[in-house]
Every structure is written in C-alpha cells, then in structure tokens.
Amino acid sequence: MTDIRDDVVAGFESAYGRGPVGIWSAPGRVNLIGEHTDYNEGFVLPFAINRRTVVALGPRDDTLVRVASEYADELAEIALDQLAPERLRDWSAYPLGVAWALGQFGADLAAVPGVDIYIESTVPVGAGLSSSAAIESAVAVALNDVWQLGLDPQTLARVGQLAENKAVGAPTGIMDQSAALLGRRDHAVFLDCRSLESELVDLGFARAGLEVLIIDTGVAHDHATGGYAERRASCEAGARTLGVESLRDVGIDDLARAREVLDDVTFRRVRHVVTENQRVLDTVRVLRSQGPTAIGELLDASHVSMRDDFEISVPELDLAVETAQANGAIGARMTGGGFGGAAIALVPSEGVSRIQVAIDGAFAEHGFGQPTTFTVTAADGAGRD
Ligand code: ADP
Ligand code: MG
C-alpha cells in the first residue's frame, strides 16, 4: 500500500503541474461519549483517530484559490475577494469555506497569496467519523501556516465550525474540529463547549488491551437537513421554557420540574442532554479513578438515551450495539449525529474478530446491508507532516 502522503503529492502534481510546498493533515474523530451536548454548551469526550485527511498546498502568484480532491472529479476555484458563503457549494464549500472563515477571524484576504490545494483522505465520508472536520481542520492548519496567520488550534476549531455553519449550512457545534485539532495519541479531548476549555484525558486503552471497534452501518445521514436541526430546535425550545440560556444550566435535579413544564417530546430531548452531560463527567472521573474497563455501563446508557429519549438511532445502529454487547464488548453506543452512520464498541483485543463475525451474521439475518467494521486508535491532532 502506498503512503497517502505520496498519493497526495502525486495528485497535486497531476492537478496543478508542479509540486506543493508542504503537506498538512488532520484526523477524523470518534466521540467516545457526549452526543448532541456540544451545541447545548455541555461536555463532550471525543478522540482523534488514526485515519486522516491530507492536504498538499502550494501558493500562487495571483489571488485564485483552487481546490481539487481525489473524492471529486471537478476542480473548484474562486478569487480570494469573491469568497462568500452564498457563492460556495458542494464539497468545495468545506475547504473554500475555511478560507473565507479565516478572513472572519482576522486574516487579511487582500494581503495573502492565492493557493492551490489538493486533498486525499482515509476518513470514510458520512460514517459519523467527521470527514468534514478533518478536511476543514487540515485546510485550516495549512492556510494558517502558509498565510502566516499565527492562529492557535482553539481558534482554528472555531474557523472550521464557522465554515461548516455558514458555507456548508450545517448547524453543527465545535466538537469535531476540537478533536481534529487538539487530539493526542492515546488521549481523549474533554471539552467544555461553553468555556471552550479543554483537557486531555488519558484513555489507557492500549495498556488495558482494549480497542475501539467502529461499526459503520452504511446508512446515510444528512446533517444539513432534517433531524439534526429539529433536535437542536427542541433543545433551544426546552431551554427557553425552562428559563435558562442553554441546557448546560439544567442539572439532573431539575428534571422533575422540567417534566412538569415541558411537553413529553421536549422533556425527553432535554433529559437526554442533561443525563448525557452527567455521563461525560462520570466517564472522565471513572477513566481517571478506575480505568477504561469500568466505563462500559456509561457507554451503554448513552445509547439507550439516544435511542429512547433523543430518538436519533436507527434499527441498524441498535442491532450493531446489541450484538456487540452480547458478544463481549465492554460497552457500545451509536456515535455521531445519528440517523445512520456508525456505532462504537469498546472491546478486548482478543474479542474483536468474534464481534465482527457476530455483527456480519446479525445484519445478514435481518436483511440489512453489510456493515463495515474496523478498529481505530486515539491519534494526534492536525499539523504539518
Ligand atoms: P461526516 O460524518 O463524514 O463528517 P458530513 O456530511 O458532515 O459527513 O461531511 C461529508 C462531506 O465532506 C462530503 O460529502 C464532502 O462534501 C466533504 N468531504 C469530506 N472529505 C472530503 C475529501 N477528502 N474531499 C472532498 N470533500 C470531502
Ligand atoms: Mg460532518
């Protein structure tokens, strides 16, 4: 297998007829726990994974920004002074949206050179592993270096989020970009989405002989429309009715009152967010005090909450989780925004293949399309390669 870094240089050369000045990359991420808490100013615990989006970049003599990707047939281009969210569409809205968003965070787009960008990735698209934040973060660190902007990783995370919110039009939170930019090998990023303060938490998976199995159901999700925006609106409505700025301000003890003043659906949406925040705090505490083999019940409870209260699971995700649990996983849950995508299972290394076989069998038995399963490790965040 050739290295993706060789591929991205070859791709750059064939797209632009010259070599790049450098290569940058950013990882996909898995959220260990803390789902739909980010935009409620709560807590999340993602980790960067050993699958990356790699960007080769070369500055230009003019003001054009051109982007090409092995993912897409056509090259997209726009002049720096034409960058605006409403002019960007399709996949190129991610990288070009980042260029625009850097301008919103102080980059003087009239003073920087145009660039040619070529992108390759080993992060599967639409699997809940945030290929979108990987591409945004890889482009953000590359432009930050080449344009000598000196923005810190926390700010670059907000740049990526702004690009996704405004240029792509997906109302997502700050979690994915934070994991992609701040992650570290064998650690998770414990992120407070209100203060944006983060701490690395030692996962200890390798020491404990544990692996994280990703079960990509292959069921497509679409965050730009539908369920995600609707859940977000429910959370905002719940907070409004409860008289708080965000659901971060609601604790477990407030749920009894919430049940009285909210309609049933809104109450269950709120209960998911409130209990999920608590589960993130508990997971961090248990990781530090007892180690990773003790977090299984928290992962399992998170899935039940998403399935029954937030109602963002699908039968394929439920089956993946139940089959993993029944075949020796320490814990399992769907991960990502929901309505498809992937589940994760924390599994003793020697039990991985047994669970994979069991899941393949269960999916076949239910007449579901075959899922893709693979293990990931916690890896370093974005940077220059
Ligand atoms: P995910 O869960 O993978 O983040 P999203 O729908 O949020 O799914 O983002 C996927 C989109 O990001 C793709 O449809 C594509 O537009 C863009 N994208 C991701 N990776 C690449 C890539 N390597 N090259 C071009 N576009 C990409
Ligand atoms: Mg995404």
Side-chain angles (χ1 to χ4, degrees):
M1 199 169 101
T2 60
D3 192 275
I4 187 172
R5 287 172 188 83
D6 298 332
D7 293 346
V8 81
V9 170
F12 186 98
E13 283 165 353
S14 85
Y16 301 118
R18 62 186 179 114
V21 294
I23 297 171
W24 292 258
S25 70
R29 66 95 188 93
V30 163
N31 191 21
L32 185 60
I33 195 162
E35 222 65 77
H36 288 262
T37 46
D38 62 347
Y39 55 80
N40 289 298
E41 301 191 343
F43 305 105
V44 293
L45 193 63
F47 62 91
I49 60 173
N50 55 334
R51 296 232 176 184
R52 300 181 82 82
T53 296
V54 184
V55 159
L57 186 149
R60 296 174 55 85
D61 297 333
D62 59 18
T63 65
L64 276 185
V65 180
R66 298 199 290 176
V67 289
S69 166
E70 113 279 20
Y71 172 88
D73 293 334
E74 81 291 10
L75 183 148
E77 65 171 50
I78 189 166
L80 280 166
D81 63 0
Q82 298 296 305
L83 279 171
E86 62 276 10
R87 287 174 194 263
L88 307 178
R89 69 180 62 83
D90 302 330
W91 74 272
S92 66
Y94 294 83
L96 297 175
V98 167
W100 165 78
L102 285 166
Q104 304 298 301
F105 277 85
D108 182 358
L109 297 184
V112 295
V115 288
D116 288 334
I117 295 174
Y118 191 82
I119 299 157
E120 294 234 1
S121 183
T122 57
V123 186
V125 167
L129 301 177
S130 204
S131 68
S132 56
I135 187 173
E136 290 153 8
S137 302
V139 170
V141 289
L143 290 176
N144 189 47
D145 275 1
V146 169
W147 286 347
Q148 301 184 331
L149 303 175
L151 299 173
D152 62 23
Q154 285 83 359
T155 305
L156 294 179
R158 292 169 62 205
V159 166
Q161 184 195 12
L162 185 66
E164 187 139 353
N165 292 168
K166 294 291 192 295
V168 177
T172 53
I174 191 82
M175 169 175 70
D176 299 352
Q177 295 81 5
S178 298
L181 284 150
L182 303 172
R184 178 161 0 128
R185 193 186 175 98
D186 295 329
H187 288 71
V189 179
F190 173 37
L191 178 70
D192 179 337
C193 299
R194 170 166 275 175
S195 68
L196 300 188
E197 277 168 22
S198 64
E199 255 176 82
L200 290 168
V201 178
D202 190 350
L203 288 167
F205 289 169
R207 282 194 304 285
L210 300 178
E211 296 184 26
V212 172
L213 181 68
I214 309 288
I215 306 135
D216 178 4
T217 62
V219 178
H221 65 152
D222 185 355
H223 283 178
T225 56
Y228 185 99
E230 191 182 283
R231 293 304 183 281
R232 198 171 167 144
S234 287
C235 292
E236 283 161 12
R240 237 184 350 263
T241 307
L242 293 169
V244 292
E245 201 186 304
S246 78
L247 295 183
R248 164 65 175 273
D249 300 313
V250 182
I252 302 279
D253 295 345
D254 302 318
L255 286 175
R257 185 179 77 90
R259 190 195 285 275
E260 284 166 19
V261 298
L262 299 174
D263 65 85
D264 175 61
V265 169
T266 309
F267 170 69
R268 288 185 292 113
R269 305 296 187 251
V270 167
R271 181 167 61 183
H272 165 70
V273 172
V274 171
T275 57
E276 186 79 350
N277 273 330
Q278 189 59 47
R279 281 186 290 269
V280 176
L281 297 174
D282 291 346
T283 302
V284 171
R285 184 175 46 75
V286 170
L287 279 170
R288 286 175 170 159
S289 60
Q290 294 166 259
T293 53
I295 66 170
E297 281 176 24
L298 290 161
L299 301 179
D300 295 346
S302 172
H303 186 77
V304 169
S305 181
M306 287 187 282
R307 185 191 64 198
D308 298 345
D309 274 356
F310 222 58
E311 297 181 282
I312 54 172
S313 191
V314 294
E316 288 86 346
L317 287 168
D318 292 339
L319 183 65
V321 165
E322 285 155 23
T323 308
Q325 288 164 340
N327 286 276
I330 299 221
R333 57 185 286 277
M334 54 152 285
T335 184
F339 309 104
I344 58 170
L346 185 61
V347 181
S349 301
E350 66 276 9
V352 169
S353 54
R354 174 181 162 186
I355 291 180
Q356 286 177 302
V357 169
I359 286 173
D360 284 349
F363 271 60
E365 205 176 291
H366 283 74
F368 295 156
Q370 276 301 291
T372 310
T373 58
F374 54 94
T375 57
V376 293
T377 57
D380 285 326
R384 186 167 190 155
D385 287 45

